[in-house]
């Protein structure tokens, strides 16, 4: 898929996940999460080509403009969406699957200064609520939902709901709507 095709796919993903999105033009021009993802693709390409100083400088410029910090070494899948976005931090060894979504204030961070894998891996279709912190080289299984302000420091199986400090997983009910889980009072901390 070419550059324009990927951009159209990203816009469609944003419109699908944000009920406030009125048009493709609005999303393309005014969504900082989308701008951060598009910029990340450029910086990640430079990072992979070992043009690392320029990649880091570009990611810091993007952070200044959007309020979203994505390390150029992070690996991000297709149709990723950051809603609102301010304060999102995605560390260097983070991996994010396809169709994942983060709300504002989410941190995918490390817990150690050791080299190697030190940031989370999110499977496909993972949704992370506002202010959640996922720390260390943990793996969150596909289809899982992490509630707002949860602090996750342990692996979670696919189709889990994680809430609390520290977060504890419970199985998702089949057919449970992710948007409802992220906003339902039953899951508030």
């Amino acid at each position: 898929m070419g550059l324009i095709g990927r951009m159209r796919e990203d816009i469609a993903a944003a419109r699908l996940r944000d009920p406030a999105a009125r048009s493709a033009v609005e999303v393309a021009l005014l969504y900082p999460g989308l701008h951060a993802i598009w910029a990340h693709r450029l910086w990640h390409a430079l990072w992979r080509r070992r043009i690392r100083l320029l990649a880091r400088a570009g990611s810091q410029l993007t952070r200044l403009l959007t309020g979203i910090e994505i390390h150029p070494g992070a690996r991000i899948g297709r149709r990723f969406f950051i809603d609102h976005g301010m304060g999102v931090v995605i560390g260097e060894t983070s991996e994010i699957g396809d169709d994942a979504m983060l709300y504002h204030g989410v941190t995918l961070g490390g817990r150690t200064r050791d080299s190697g894998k030190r940031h989370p891996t999110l499977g496909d279709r993972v949704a992370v609520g506002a202010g959640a912190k996922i720390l260390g080289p943990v793996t969150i299984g596909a289809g899982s939902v992490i509630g707002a302000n949860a602090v996750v420091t342990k692996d979670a199986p696919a189709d889990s709901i994680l809430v609390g400090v520290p977060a504890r997983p419970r199985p998702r009910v089949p057919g449970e709507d992710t948007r409802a889980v992220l906003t339902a009072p039953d899951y508030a901390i």
Side-chain angles (χ1 to χ4, degrees), residues 151-162:
V151 177
V152 180
T153 59
K154 295 185 178 173
D155 292 349
D159 297 313
S160 296
I161 292 178
L162 295 103

Side-chain angles (χ1 to χ4, degrees), residues 104-136:
H104 59 280
V106 168
T107 299
L108 304 182
R111 291 186 303 178
T112 179
R113 293 171 47 164
D114 296 339
S115 61
K117 178 71 170 154
R118 60 190 182 283
H119 297 97
T121 298
L122 306 183
D124 295 341
R125 302 174 319 282
V126 170
V128 184
K133 310 300 179 218
I134 308 167
L135 305 173

Side-chain angles (χ1 to χ4, degrees), residues 5 24-26 29 35 44 47 52-53 56 79 112 141 156 161 164 166 168 177:
V25 171
E26 176 187 42
L29 293 177
H35 300 153
H44 183 68
W47 185 264
R52 298 207 165 154
L53 180 62
R56 287 296 307 270
R79 297 174 302 275
T112 179
I161 292 178
R168 301 205 192 307
D177 183 15

Side-chain angles (χ1 to χ4, degrees), residues 1-12 28 34 38 41:
M1 177 177 285
L3 175 65
I4 300 300
R6 288 288 298 268
M7 292 174 81
R8 284 184 177 158
E9 185 178 66
D10 292 332
I11 292 167
L34 196 57
W38 288 345
R41 288 193 187 130

